[in-house]
Amino acid sequence: MLREIQSFKKLFSKYTELRIQENRNVYLTLLKGDLTNNTSSAIKGISARVFDQGGWGFASNSVIGEESIKSVIREASENASFLGNKYKNSITFPSNPGISENSFITSKQLRTDKEKIAFLKEIDNYITTKYPLLVSRVVGHNILEMEKKLITSDGGEFYSMIPRTAIVCYLTMMKDDAPCSLGDSFGGFGQFEDLFSDPAILYPKIDEIYEHLIKKTEGIYPDAGIKDVILDADLAGILAHEAIGHTTEADIVLGGSIAGEYLNEVVSSPLITLTDFANEAFGKICPVPVFVDDEGTKAEDAVIIEKGVLKSYMHNKESANHFGVKPTGNARAYLFSDEPLIRMRNTAISPGTSKLEDMISSIEDGYYLMKSGNGQADSTSEFMFGVVLGYEIKNGKIRNGLKEMTISGVAFDVLKTVSMVSDDMKWSNFGMCGKKQPIPVGMGGPAIKCKVNIGGR
């Protein structure tokens, strides 16, 4: 797979990365049984990035061929030389080159779009037959396949084809003349053929969505204030990613993130170990496995918090040089025309030893929060997340469903209040992260018991 670009390495005169990439997307959507979206795209091209005396040069081209490859190497080299002449800064990056070929193309017969639409229609028919009170329903199918080849002047090289496939389902009912909706996505790492053999395997999951939706429509508003809560895996994963993960990306640290003040200090309960996993976690492949990053660095786990102590940041080669550490393989680019940035891969809190039922029974007056909606966090780790699914806990028992609400706080402070961590582990199915460019990410973890600020009615 890599031989076709190896010959161009002789054109490298400075530190150079050469990447060929194709992203393939498919979107199918049924709205109340009607096909409203059937689109597919393939974006491919080549890019080169060169470093010379402190200056980065980048060039890309959507045409893949010998002459265009030579052209982007030359243009990137010229751009780097132009900027380098201004900086005149000699830097040698720490090198940990990785060599890897990882293709996760299915061995099964690929299904046609027509067959996939029929698959979705079977799901839709199940919903309409069993749940006639719904006023709307959406059943969709999304695919993202990222295929890359890369070589670098310091010996890094890889080929990968990483697929992600999801089926999404959203259900809507009316309550008091207002719509109430709830949905979920199923699938994750892999291609359609490996994940979805029969529509019936999703029916119990759809039943679960409906049951939660009924309780949500009959739900109450929570009381405002600092409350004992259990954040289930979805929300614990969002907290780990948005409020902690971004603050510990080394470029954000250099930009003034609060995490820059906390290295080797206690930032959470000792029950918390938080890691950005490269490609495998707890004996299983991660939702977004990265074996070699887009700078050619061998991807390794970055243990961010270990038993409550902030241990490290996520690095590319340049930030690793600044901090005097080894790069972790966190440089990632979404499209061929994007330069690699420091990005998370699969960020999660490690499981603990508590049972979820024991965590619930330990709360006299609080909430069990299960699914997030929109949200935001900043470089101080202050966050505000919407919650679209949750339940009241009274005297150690799950009671009323909750209407949509918000939670907020400072993540490092919230993590210091963690008193229980569940012994299970769940990953989200189709996480995307935006930081100048989108990128697929894995988020998840166990449930955590903590204190958080609840936004009331």
Side-chain angles (χ1 to χ4, degrees), residues 281-294:
F282 315 112
K284 296 182 179 179
I285 196 163
C286 290
V288 184
V290 176
F291 299 90
V292 178
D293 77 358
D294 292 329

Side-chain angles (χ1 to χ4, degrees), residues 64-138:
I64 300 175
E66 182 176 350
E67 292 306 313
S68 59
I69 291 175
K70 291 178 179 178
S71 175
V72 297
I73 294 172
R74 182 174 62 253
E75 290 174 17
S77 299
E78 291 172 353
N79 292 338
S81 178
F82 175 78
L83 292 174
N85 284 331
K86 296 181 179 296
Y87 294 124
K88 298 291 185 180
N89 186 5
S90 179
I91 296 175
T92 301
F93 292 135
S95 181
N96 185 24
I99 299 175
S100 176
E101 289 201 23
N102 298 95
S103 176
F104 295 95
I105 298 173
T106 182
S107 60
K108 299 178 181 179
Q109 179 68 37
L110 294 179
R111 295 203 183 194
T112 65
D113 284 351
K114 183 177 180 180
E115 290 172 325
K116 292 176 183 176
I117 293 169
F119 191 100
L120 298 182
K121 283 186 175 292
E122 284 192 53
I123 296 172
D124 183 75
N125 183 64
Y126 172 81
I127 295 170
T128 56
T129 302
K130 191 166 184 180
Y131 302 118
L133 296 180
L134 295 172
V135 297
S136 184
R137 63 200 183 275
V138 174

Side-chain angles (χ1 to χ4, degrees), residues 362-374:
S362 72
I363 293 180
E364 289 296 311
D365 181 17
Y367 301 101
Y368 176 37
L369 308 179
M370 299 178 67
K371 285 198 173 295
S372 64
N374 55 6

Side-chain angles (χ1 to χ4, degrees), residues 43-297:
I43 301 174
K44 62 182 178 179
I46 56 174
S47 64
R49 194 170 71 143
V50 176
F51 188 82
D52 187 2
Q53 301 184 87
W56 283 105
F58 183 79
S60 65
N61 196 318
S62 60
V63 176
I64 300 175
E66 182 176 350
E67 292 306 313
S68 59
I69 291 175
K70 291 178 179 178
S71 175
V72 297
I73 294 172
R74 182 174 62 253
E75 290 174 17
S77 299
E78 291 172 353
N79 292 338
S81 178
F82 175 78
L83 292 174
N85 284 331
K86 296 181 179 296
Y87 294 124
K88 298 291 185 180
N89 186 5
S90 179
I91 296 175
T92 301
F93 292 135
S95 181
N96 185 24
I99 299 175
S100 176
E101 289 201 23
N102 298 95
S103 176
F104 295 95
I105 298 173
T106 182
S107 60
K108 299 178 181 179
Q109 179 68 37
L110 294 179
R111 295 203 183 194
T112 65
D113 284 351
K114 183 177 180 180
E115 290 172 325
K116 292 176 183 176
I117 293 169
F119 191 100
L120 298 182
K121 283 186 175 292
E122 284 192 53
I123 296 172
D124 183 75
N125 183 64
Y126 172 81
I127 295 170
T128 56
T129 302
K130 191 166 184 180
Y131 302 118
L133 296 180
L134 295 172
V135 297
S136 184
R137 63 200 183 275
V138 174
V139 180
H141 167 48
N142 304 328
I143 296 174
L144 170 61
E145 296 176 349
M146 299 180 71
E147 188 169 18
K148 300 183 181 185
K149 303 170 189 175
L150 177 132
I151 58 171
T152 68
S153 57
D154 65 346
E157 58 182 62
F158 79 86
Y159 166 81
S160 69
M161 202 298 280
I162 308 297
R164 286 208 310 175
T165 307
I167 288 179
V168 298
C169 178
Y170 286 91
L171 310 180
T172 303
M173 297 183 70
M174 297 296 293
K175 180 68 174 180
D176 299 328
D177 297 322
C180 183
S181 299
L182 191 64
D184 207 346
S185 62
F186 315 110
F189 172 68
Q191 290 186 279
F192 185 98
E193 294 72 18
D194 293 320
L195 297 174
F196 303 111
S197 58
D198 188 330
I201 64 175
L202 298 180
Y203 296 165
K205 300 178 185 294
I206 294 169
D207 294 341
E208 188 176 342
I209 296 175
Y210 184 81
E211 290 168 8
H212 285 309
L213 178 59
I214 291 292
K215 293 172 183 175
K216 180 179 176 180
T217 61
E218 299 168 349
I220 62 172
Y221 288 100
D223 296 328
I226 303 296
K227 298 289 184 179
D228 287 322
V229 302
I230 295 169
L231 302 182
D232 207 20
D234 183 83
L235 274 156
I238 290 287
L239 183 72
H241 175 95
E242 292 288 353
I244 301 297
H246 280 302
T247 68
T248 55
E249 292 169 324
D251 54 343
I252 304 298
V253 173
L254 291 170
S257 158
I258 192 67
E261 303 174 13
Y262 292 160
L263 192 63
N264 296 318
E265 294 188 9
V266 174
V267 294
S268 75
S269 159
L271 298 176
I272 297 296
T273 292
L274 190 155
T275 304
D276 183 64
F277 295 98
N279 46 64
E280 185 177 297
F282 315 112
K284 296 182 179 179
I285 196 163
C286 290
V288 184
V290 176
F291 299 90
V292 178
D293 77 358
D294 292 329
E295 289 182 338
T297 297

